[in-house]
Amino acid sequence: MSSEPIEWFDIPSVLGRRAASILGLSKVPIVELDESHRPLILAHLLALDETDRRLRFSYALGDAAIAKYTASIDFERDSVFGIFGRDDVLLGVVHLAELNQSADSPAPKGAELGLSLDANMRGHGLGTLLFQRALRRARNDGIEMLFVYTLTDNEAMLRIAHKLNMRVSTADGQCEAHLRVEPASKGSKVREFVDEQLADIDHLFKGSLSQFKKWAEEF
């Protein structure tokens, strides 16, 4: 992955920005990832430095452990969302992982959120946007409780948790943030449907533009 800073205007296409502006949605299209994106997710996570790996996983995973984690993502059960930059490079990824609970468990249906961002893209609110997108999916999928587990020095993650009004508790250098999720509504389902359509259109547009540039360079 290139280490060059990526300008803000490189993220969403003009089409995505205009459509989102008209509908009052996020101007940064967030794409739902699937099995075909697994190599891109791996490349994104391997590009994290030691500090960022520690903040993402609570300890600095090595390359082999990151590859194992990426291979274990269950796209049938979980939801994974990403923000793309140039040339299909993932700038940010959020993993909504449903917790394993027995069918007769009295505990609320829960899921855990994990977030990673390219170092050059921090400070623009992208982490919050990814969390909000995952929250909409959790709501529409019947998740009742969301959890975030992180370190006490992960200030960026804790700021996001507070923005989303999550309850945060701290013990022995670890933080747990949780949020009771509101039930789905017609409005939340329509909002997610529009999110998906805009993201697909924007990603297709940027993919076609990238292919056009490659063709142009060959002449």
Side-chain angles (χ1 to χ4, degrees), residues 38-98:
R38 202 184 294 273
L40 299 179
I41 297 171
L42 177 59
H44 165 72
L45 293 174
L46 289 177
L48 300 177
D49 63 21
E50 182 176 345
T51 298
D52 289 337
R53 293 184 186 195
R54 172 179 168 272
L55 294 177
R56 168 60 181 87
F57 298 103
S58 293
Y59 47 93
L61 292 184
D63 289 357
I66 286 180
K68 184 177 181 180
Y69 159 76
T70 306
S72 72
I73 296 174
D74 185 347
F75 290 99
E76 294 296 322
R77 184 194 65 182
D78 300 342
S79 295
V80 186
F81 300 96
I83 293 174
F84 283 92
R86 293 174 174 173
D87 300 322
D88 269 349
V89 172
L90 278 168
L91 304 177
V93 174
V94 64
H95 182 186
L96 176 68
E98 187 172 329

Side-chain angles (χ1 to χ4, degrees), residues 109-207:
K109 183 179 180 182
E112 180 181 351
L113 286 174
L115 173 71
S116 54
L117 275 179
D118 182 279
N120 297 313
M121 298 313 303
R122 289 169 198 156
H124 297 295
L126 298 185
T128 301
L129 291 177
L130 284 165
F131 260 49
Q132 289 172 334
R133 179 66 185 90
L135 176 57
R136 288 194 288 276
R137 170 57 55 83
R139 184 180 179 187
N140 290 333
D141 276 359
I143 298 297
E144 299 170 279
M145 190 74 72
L146 275 183
F147 296 91
V148 172
Y149 300 99
T150 190
L151 301 172
T152 55
D153 61 343
N154 193 344
E155 296 178 359
M157 184 69 79
L158 292 176
R159 280 197 298 270
I160 294 172
H162 286 301
K163 282 183 182 179
L164 298 180
N165 296 316
M166 302 184 82
R167 292 177 177 267
V168 179
S169 57
T170 304
D172 300 324
Q174 298 281 339
C175 286
E176 177 195 294
H178 65 271
L179 175 70
R180 185 167 291 278
V181 181
E182 296 180 5
S185 66
K186 289 183 179 179
S188 69
K189 292 180 179 180
V190 169
R191 172 63 188 269
E192 184 172 25
F193 174 78
V194 175
D195 280 339
E196 292 170 352
Q197 301 311 305
L198 285 178
D200 288 345
I201 291 171
D202 187 87
H203 193 50
L204 178 62
F205 177 84
K206 283 192 288 192

